[in-house]
Amino acid sequence: MRISARADYAVRAVLELAVRQGGGDPVKAESIAAAQDIPHKFLEGILGDLRRAGVVDSRRGGGGGYRLARAAEEITVADVIRAVDGPIVSVRGVRPTGLSYAGSAEPLLPLWIALRANVRRILEGVTVADIAADALPEPVRALAAEPAAWENP
């Protein structure tokens, strides 16, 4: 499985907004791009996708910028990734539930569905607020703490 640059940048941008939300003022895209080392033009497209998905709001003008559209506790990492990349797990661009296999490949379908379920369980179980507070849920921390998680086979 691969996390796209768009998804990584989107999560980082939303996290930056969550951390700055307390100030009350919208945050300019240039400021987010500089803080997270994200190419500004690329970030503008990502922020547009996040706005259309209802993850962020924007305001034009001198005092304009971006802010979270709802509380960081209500925005999951899955919400952000779906906003910029679409379905979380797909096989050849198709959701696993839309696939069918025949013959010796039949056992692949439940494997892909199980993979999708596990990825969703993690990404839907972590909110932007969790990351901002450095308080990942314990099951996620436990998975990340496993020595094999850091090894490349």
Side-chain angles (χ1 to χ4, degrees), residues 7-81:
D8 178 54
Y9 290 165
V11 172
R12 289 166 46 198
V14 169
L15 179 60
E16 190 69 25
L17 290 173
V19 169
R20 295 181 183 208
Q21 193 85 16
D25 293 329
V27 181
K28 297 205 176 295
E30 297 86 1
S31 180
I32 298 167
Q36 290 297 321
D37 195 27
I38 300 171
H40 180 256
K41 286 287 189 193
F42 197 31
L43 179 61
E44 285 286 352
I46 291 167
L47 290 168
D49 288 344
L50 292 169
R51 185 181 47 75
R52 283 185 289 280
V55 175
V56 302
D57 284 329
S58 64
R59 188 168 67 188
R60 293 179 171 228
Y66 295 87
R67 60 182 324 139
L68 297 180
R70 50 190 200 270
E73 294 83 6
E74 298 173 13
I75 302 170
T76 68
V77 175
D79 294 333
V80 177
I81 293 173

Coordinates of all heavy atoms in Angstrom, one line a residue, residues 7-81:
A7 N -2.1 12.9 -0.4 CA -2.6 12.5 0.9 C -1.8 12.9 2.1 O -2.2 13.5 3.1 CB -2.9 11.0 1.0
D8 N -0.5 12.7 2.0 CA 0.5 13.1 3.0 C 0.4 14.6 3.2 O 0.3 15.1 4.3 CB 1.9 12.7 2.6 CG 2.9 13.1 3.6 OD1 2.8 12.8 4.8 OD2 3.9 13.8 3.2
Y9 N 0.5 15.4 2.1 CA 0.4 16.9 2.2 C -1.0 17.3 2.8 O -1.0 18.2 3.6 CB 0.6 17.5 0.8 CG 2.0 17.4 0.3 CD1 2.2 17.7 -1.1 CD2 3.1 17.1 1.0 CE1 3.5 17.6 -1.6 CE2 4.3 17.0 0.5 CZ 4.5 17.3 -0.8 OH 5.8 17.2 -1.4
A10 N -2.0 16.6 2.4 CA -3.4 17.0 2.9 C -3.4 16.8 4.4 O -3.9 17.7 5.1 CB -4.4 16.2 2.2
V11 N -3.0 15.7 4.9 CA -3.0 15.4 6.3 C -2.2 16.5 7.1 O -2.6 17.0 8.1 CB -2.6 14.0 6.7 CG1 -2.4 13.8 8.2 CG2 -3.6 13.0 6.1
R12 N -1.0 16.8 6.5 CA -0.1 17.7 7.2 C -0.7 19.1 7.2 O -0.6 19.9 8.1 CB 1.2 17.7 6.5 CG 2.0 16.5 6.8 CD 3.2 16.2 5.9 NE 4.1 17.3 5.7 CZ 5.0 17.4 4.7 NH1 5.1 16.4 3.9 NH2 5.7 18.5 4.6
A13 N -1.4 19.5 6.1 CA -2.0 20.8 6.0 C -3.2 20.9 7.0 O -3.3 21.9 7.7 CB -2.6 21.1 4.6
V14 N -4.0 19.9 7.1 CA -5.1 19.9 8.0 C -4.6 19.9 9.5 O -5.1 20.6 10.3 CB -6.1 18.7 7.8 CG1 -7.1 18.5 8.9 CG2 -6.8 18.9 6.4
L15 N -3.5 19.2 9.7 CA -2.9 19.2 11.0 C -2.4 20.6 11.4 O -2.6 21.1 12.5 CB -1.8 18.2 11.1 CG -1.0 18.1 12.4 CD1 -1.9 17.7 13.5 CD2 0.1 17.0 12.3
E16 N -1.8 21.2 10.4 CA -1.3 22.6 10.6 C -2.5 23.5 11.0 O -2.4 24.4 11.9 CB -0.6 23.1 9.4 CG 0.2 24.4 9.6 CD 1.4 24.3 10.5 OE1 2.0 23.2 10.6 OE2 1.8 25.4 11.0
L17 N -3.6 23.4 10.3 CA -4.8 24.2 10.6 C -5.3 23.9 12.0 O -5.7 24.8 12.8 CB -5.9 24.0 9.6 CG -5.6 24.5 8.2 CD1 -6.7 24.1 7.2 CD2 -5.5 26.1 8.2
A18 N -5.3 22.6 12.4 CA -5.8 22.2 13.7 C -4.9 22.9 14.8 O -5.4 23.3 15.8 CB -5.8 20.7 13.8
V19 N -3.6 22.8 14.6 CA -2.7 23.4 15.6 C -2.9 24.9 15.7 O -2.8 25.5 16.8 CB -1.2 23.0 15.3 CG1 -0.3 23.8 16.1 CG2 -1.0 21.5 15.4
R20 N -3.2 25.6 14.6 CA -3.3 27.0 14.6 C -4.7 27.5 14.9 O -5.0 28.7 15.0 CB -2.8 27.6 13.3 CG -1.4 27.4 13.0 CD -1.0 28.0 11.7 NE 0.3 27.8 11.4 CZ 1.0 28.6 10.6 NH1 0.4 29.7 10.1 NH2 2.3 28.3 10.3
Q21 N -5.7 26.6 14.9 CA -7.1 26.9 15.0 C -7.4 27.8 16.2 O -8.3 28.7 16.2 CB -7.9 25.7 15.1 CG -9.4 25.9 14.9 CD -9.8 25.9 13.5 OE1 -9.1 25.5 12.6 NE2 -11.0 26.4 13.2
G22 N -6.7 27.7 17.3 CA -6.9 28.5 18.5 C -6.8 29.9 18.3 O -7.4 30.7 19.0
G23 N -6.0 30.4 17.3 CA -5.8 31.8 17.1 C -7.1 32.5 16.6 O -7.2 33.7 16.6
G24 N -8.0 31.7 16.0 CA -9.2 32.3 15.5 C -9.2 32.8 14.1 O -10.1 32.7 13.3
D25 N -8.0 33.3 13.6 CA -7.9 33.8 12.3 C -7.6 32.7 11.3 O -6.9 31.8 11.6 CB -6.7 34.8 12.2 CG -7.0 36.1 13.0 OD1 -8.2 36.5 13.1 OD2 -6.1 36.7 13.5
P26 N -8.2 32.9 10.1 CA -7.9 31.9 9.0 C -6.4 31.9 8.7 O -5.7 32.9 8.9 CB -8.7 32.4 7.8 CG -9.7 33.3 8.4 CD -9.1 33.9 9.6
V27 N -5.9 30.8 8.2 CA -4.4 30.7 7.9 C -4.3 30.7 6.4 O -5.0 30.0 5.7 CB -3.9 29.3 8.5 CG1 -2.4 29.2 8.2 CG2 -4.2 29.2 10.0
K28 N -3.3 31.5 6.0 CA -3.1 31.6 4.5 C -2.4 30.4 4.0 O -1.6 29.7 4.7 CB -2.2 32.8 4.3 CG -2.9 34.1 4.6 CD -2.4 35.3 3.9 CE -3.2 36.5 4.2 NZ -4.6 36.5 3.8
A29 N -2.7 30.0 2.8 CA -2.1 28.8 2.2 C -0.5 29.0 2.1 O 0.2 28.0 2.4 CB -2.6 28.6 0.8
E30 N 0.0 30.2 1.9 CA 1.4 30.4 1.9 C 2.0 30.0 3.2 O 3.1 29.4 3.2 CB 1.7 31.8 1.5 CG 1.3 32.3 0.2 CD -0.2 32.8 0.2 OE1 -0.8 32.8 1.2 OE2 -0.6 33.1 -0.9
S31 N 1.4 30.3 4.3 CA 1.9 30.0 5.6 C 1.9 28.5 5.9 O 2.8 28.0 6.5 CB 1.0 30.8 6.6 OG 1.4 30.5 7.9
I32 N 0.8 27.8 5.5 CA 0.8 26.4 5.6 C 1.9 25.7 4.8 O 2.6 24.9 5.3 CB -0.6 25.8 5.2 CG1 -1.7 26.4 6.0 CG2 -0.6 24.3 5.2 CD1 -3.1 26.1 5.5
A33 N 2.0 26.2 3.5 CA 3.0 25.6 2.6 C 4.4 25.8 3.2 O 5.2 24.9 3.2 CB 2.9 26.3 1.3
A34 N 4.7 27.0 3.8 CA 6.0 27.2 4.4 C 6.3 26.4 5.6 O 7.3 25.8 5.8 CB 6.2 28.7 4.7
A35 N 5.3 26.3 6.5 CA 5.4 25.6 7.7 C 5.6 24.1 7.5 O 6.3 23.4 8.2 CB 4.2 25.8 8.6
Q36 N 5.0 23.5 6.4 CA 5.0 22.1 6.2 C 5.9 21.7 5.0 O 6.0 20.6 4.6 CB 3.6 21.5 6.0 CG 2.8 21.5 7.3 CD 3.4 20.6 8.3 OE1 3.9 19.6 8.0 NE2 3.4 21.1 9.6
D37 N 6.6 22.7 4.4 CA 7.5 22.5 3.2 C 6.7 21.7 2.1 O 7.1 20.7 1.6 CB 8.7 21.7 3.6 CG 9.8 21.7 2.6 OD1 9.8 22.7 1.8 OD2 10.6 20.8 2.5
I38 N 5.5 22.3 1.8 CA 4.7 21.8 0.7 C 4.7 22.8 -0.4 O 4.5 24.0 -0.2 CB 3.2 21.6 1.2 CG1 3.2 20.6 2.4 CG2 2.3 21.1 0.1 CD1 1.8 20.5 3.1
P39 N 4.9 22.3 -1.7 CA 4.8 23.3 -2.8 C 3.5 24.0 -2.8 O 2.4 23.4 -2.8 CB 5.0 22.4 -4.0 CG 5.7 21.1 -3.5 CD 5.2 21.0 -2.1
H40 N 3.6 25.4 -2.8 CA 2.4 26.2 -2.7 C 1.3 25.9 -3.7 O 0.1 25.8 -3.4 CB 2.8 27.7 -2.7 CG 1.6 28.6 -2.6 ND1 1.1 29.2 -3.7 CD2 0.8 28.9 -1.5 CE1 0.0 29.9 -3.3 NE2 -0.1 29.7 -2.0
K41 N 1.7 25.8 -5.0 CA 0.7 25.6 -6.1 C 0.0 24.2 -5.9 O -1.2 24.1 -6.1 CB 1.3 25.6 -7.4 CG 1.7 27.0 -7.9 CD 0.4 27.7 -8.2 CE 0.7 29.0 -8.9 NZ -0.5 29.9 -9.0
F42 N 0.8 23.2 -5.5 CA 0.2 21.9 -5.2 C -0.7 21.9 -4.0 O -1.8 21.4 -4.1 CB 1.4 20.9 -4.9 CG 1.0 19.4 -5.0 CD1 0.1 19.0 -5.9 CD2 1.7 18.5 -4.3 CE1 -0.2 17.6 -6.0 CE2 1.5 17.2 -4.3 CZ 0.5 16.7 -5.2
L43 N -0.4 22.7 -3.0 CA -1.2 22.8 -1.8 C -2.5 23.5 -2.2 O -3.6 23.1 -1.6 CB -0.5 23.6 -0.7 CG -1.3 23.8 0.6 CD1 -1.7 22.5 1.2 CD2 -0.5 24.7 1.5
E44 N -2.5 24.5 -3.0 CA -3.8 25.2 -3.4 C -4.8 24.2 -4.0 O -6.0 24.2 -3.6 CB -3.5 26.3 -4.4 CG -2.8 27.5 -3.9 CD -3.8 28.4 -3.0 OE1 -5.0 28.1 -3.0 OE2 -3.2 29.3 -2.4
G45 N -4.4 23.3 -4.8 CA -5.3 22.2 -5.4 C -5.8 21.3 -4.3 O -7.0 21.0 -4.2
I46 N -4.9 20.9 -3.4 CA -5.3 20.1 -2.2 C -6.3 20.8 -1.4 O -7.3 20.2 -1.0 CB -4.1 19.7 -1.4 CG1 -3.2 18.7 -2.3 CG2 -4.4 19.1 -0.1 CD1 -1.8 18.5 -1.7
L47 N -6.1 22.0 -1.0 CA -7.0 22.8 -0.2 C -8.4 22.9 -0.9 O -9.4 22.9 -0.2 CB -6.4 24.2 0.2 CG -5.2 24.1 1.2 CD1 -4.5 25.5 1.2 CD2 -5.7 23.7 2.5
G48 N -8.4 23.1 -2.2 CA -9.6 23.1 -2.9 C -10.4 21.8 -2.8 O -11.6 21.8 -2.6
D49 N -9.7 20.7 -2.9 CA -10.4 19.4 -2.7 C -10.9 19.3 -1.3 O -12.0 18.8 -1.1 CB -9.4 18.2 -3.0 CG -9.0 18.1 -4.4 OD1 -9.8 18.6 -5.3 OD2 -8.0 17.4 -4.7
L50 N -10.1 19.7 -0.3 CA -10.5 19.6 1.1 C -11.8 20.5 1.4 O -12.6 20.2 2.1 CB -9.4 20.0 2.0 CG -8.2 19.0 2.1 CD1 -7.0 19.6 2.8 CD2 -8.6 17.7 2.7
R51 N -11.8 21.7 0.7 CA -12.9 22.6 0.8 C -14.2 22.0 0.2 O -15.2 22.0 0.9 CB -12.6 23.9 0.2 CG -13.7 25.0 0.4 CD -13.4 26.3 -0.3 NE -13.0 26.2 -1.7 CZ -13.8 25.9 -2.7 NH1 -15.0 25.7 -2.5 NH2 -13.3 25.8 -4.0
R52 N -14.1 21.4 -1.0 CA -15.2 20.8 -1.6 C -15.7 19.6 -0.8 O -16.9 19.3 -0.8 CB -14.9 20.3 -3.0 CG -14.8 21.5 -4.0 CD -14.6 21.1 -5.4 NE -13.2 20.6 -5.7 CZ -12.2 21.4 -5.9 NH1 -12.3 22.7 -5.8 NH2 -11.0 20.9 -6.1
A53 N -14.9 18.9 -0.1 CA -15.3 17.8 0.8 C -15.8 18.2 2.1 O -16.2 17.3 2.9 CB -14.1 16.8 0.9
G54 N -15.7 19.5 2.4 CA -16.2 20.0 3.7 C -15.3 19.8 4.9 O -15.7 19.8 6.1
V55 N -14.0 19.6 4.6 CA -13.0 19.4 5.7 C -12.5 20.8 6.1 O -12.3 21.0 7.3 CB -11.9 18.5 5.2 CG1 -10.8 18.4 6.3 CG2 -12.4 17.1 4.8
V56 N -12.3 21.7 5.1 CA -11.9 23.1 5.5 C -12.9 24.1 4.9 O -13.6 23.8 4.0 CB -10.4 23.4 5.0 CG1 -9.4 22.4 5.6 CG2 -10.4 23.4 3.5
D57 N -12.8 25.2 5.4 CA -13.6 26.4 4.9 C -12.5 27.4 4.4 O -11.4 27.4 5.0 CB -14.4 27.1 6.0 CG -15.7 26.3 6.3 OD1 -16.2 25.6 5.4 OD2 -16.1 26.4 7.4
S58 N -12.9 28.3 3.5 CA -12.0 29.3 3.1 C -12.7 30.7 3.1 O -13.9 30.7 3.0 CB -11.4 29.0 1.7 OG -12.5 29.0 0.8
R59 N -11.9 31.7 3.3 CA -12.4 33.1 3.2 C -11.5 33.9 2.4 O -10.2 33.8 2.5 CB -12.5 33.6 4.6 CG -13.2 35.0 4.7 CD -13.5 35.4 6.1 NE -12.3 35.7 6.8 CZ -12.3 35.9 8.1 NH1 -13.3 35.9 8.8 NH2 -11.1 36.1 8.7
R60 N -12.0 34.6 1.5 CA -11.2 35.5 0.6 C -10.9 36.8 1.2 O -11.5 37.2 2.2 CB -12.0 35.7 -0.7 CG -12.1 34.5 -1.5 CD -12.9 34.7 -2.8 NE -12.9 33.6 -3.6 CZ -12.6 33.6 -4.9 NH1 -12.3 34.7 -5.5 NH2 -12.6 32.5 -5.6
G61 N -9.9 37.5 0.6 CA -9.6 38.8 1.0 C -8.3 38.9 1.9 O -7.7 37.9 2.2
G62 N -8.1 40.1 2.3 CA -6.9 40.4 3.1 C -6.8 39.6 4.4 O -5.7 39.1 4.8
G63 N -7.9 39.4 5.1 CA -7.9 38.6 6.3 C -8.3 37.2 6.1 O -8.7 36.5 7.0
G64 N -8.3 36.8 4.8 CA -8.8 35.4 4.4 C -7.7 34.4 4.7 O -6.6 34.6 5.1
G65 N -8.2 33.2 4.3 CA -7.3 32.0 4.5 C -8.2 30.8 4.7 O -9.4 30.7 4.3
Y66 N -7.6 29.8 5.3 CA -8.3 28.5 5.5 C -8.4 28.2 7.0 O -7.6 28.6 7.8 CB -7.5 27.4 4.9 CG -7.5 27.5 3.4 CD1 -6.5 28.3 2.7 CD2 -8.5 26.9 2.6 CE1 -6.6 28.4 1.3 CE2 -8.5 27.1 1.2 CZ -7.5 27.8 0.6 OH -7.6 27.9 -0.8
R67 N -9.5 27.5 7.3 CA -9.7 27.0 8.7 C -10.4 25.7 8.6 O -11.0 25.4 7.6 CB -10.4 28.0 9.6 CG -11.8 28.4 9.0 CD -12.5 29.4 9.9 NE -12.2 29.2 11.3 CZ -12.0 30.3 12.1 NH1 -12.0 31.5 11.7 NH2 -11.7 30.0 13.4
L68 N -10.4 24.9 9.7 CA -11.1 23.6 9.7 C -12.6 23.9 9.6 O -13.1 24.9 10.3 CB -10.8 22.8 10.9 CG -9.4 22.4 11.1 CD1 -9.2 21.6 12.4 CD2 -8.9 21.5 9.9
A69 N -13.4 23.1 8.8 CA -14.8 23.3 8.7 C -15.6 22.8 9.9 O -16.7 23.1 10.2 CB -15.3 22.7 7.4
R70 N -14.9 21.9 10.6 CA -15.5 21.3 11.9 C -14.4 21.0 12.8 O -13.2 21.1 12.5 CB -16.4 20.1 11.6 CG -15.8 19.0 10.7 CD -16.8 18.0 10.3 NE -16.2 16.8 9.9 CZ -15.8 16.5 8.7 NH1 -16.0 17.3 7.7 NH2 -15.3 15.3 8.4
A71 N -14.7 20.7 14.0 CA -13.7 20.4 15.1 C -12.8 19.3 14.7 O -13.1 18.4 14.0 CB -14.4 20.0 16.4
A72 N -11.5 19.5 15.1 CA -10.5 18.5 14.8 C -10.8 17.1 15.3 O -10.4 16.1 14.7 CB -9.1 19.0 15.3
E73 N -11.6 17.1 16.4 CA -12.0 15.8 16.9 C -13.0 15.1 16.0 O -13.2 13.9 16.2 CB -12.7 16.0 18.3 CG -11.8 16.5 19.4 CD -11.6 18.0 19.3 OE1 -12.2 18.7 18.5 OE2 -10.7 18.5 20.1
E74 N -13.6 15.8 15.1 CA -14.6 15.2 14.2 C -14.0 14.9 12.8 O -14.7 14.3 12.0 CB -15.8 16.2 14.0 CG -16.5 16.5 15.3 CD -17.5 17.6 15.1 OE1 -17.9 17.9 13.9 OE2 -18.0 18.1 16.1
I75 N -12.8 15.2 12.6 CA -12.1 14.9 11.3 C -11.2 13.8 11.4 O -10.2 13.9 12.2 CB -11.4 16.2 10.8 CG1 -12.4 17.3 10.6 CG2 -10.7 15.9 9.4 CD1 -11.7 18.7 10.4
T76 N -11.4 12.7 10.7 CA -10.5 11.5 10.8 C -9.5 11.6 9.7 O -9.7 12.4 8.7 CB -11.2 10.2 10.7 OG1 -11.8 10.1 9.3 CG2 -12.3 10.0 11.7
V77 N -8.4 10.9 9.8 CA -7.4 10.8 8.8 C -8.0 10.3 7.5 O -7.7 10.7 6.4 CB -6.2 10.0 9.2 CG1 -5.2 9.8 8.1 CG2 -5.5 10.7 10.4
A78 N -8.9 9.3 7.7 CA -9.6 8.8 6.5 C -10.4 9.8 5.8 O -10.4 9.8 4.5 CB -10.6 7.6 6.9
D79 N -11.1 10.8 6.5 CA -11.8 11.8 5.8 C -10.9 12.7 4.9 O -11.3 13.0 3.8 CB -12.4 12.8 6.9 CG -13.5 12.2 7.7 OD1 -14.2 11.2 7.3 OD2 -13.6 12.7 8.9
V80 N -9.7 13.0 5.4 CA -8.8 13.8 4.7 C -8.3 13.1 3.4 O -8.3 13.6 2.3 CB -7.6 14.2 5.6 CG1 -6.6 15.0 4.8 CG2 -8.1 15.0 6.8
I81 N -7.9 11.8 3.6 CA -7.4 11.0 2.5 C -8.4 10.8 1.4 O -8.2 11.0 0.2 CB -6.8 9.7 2.9 CG1 -5.5 10.0 3.8 CG2 -6.5 8.8 1.7 CD1 -5.0 8.7 4.5

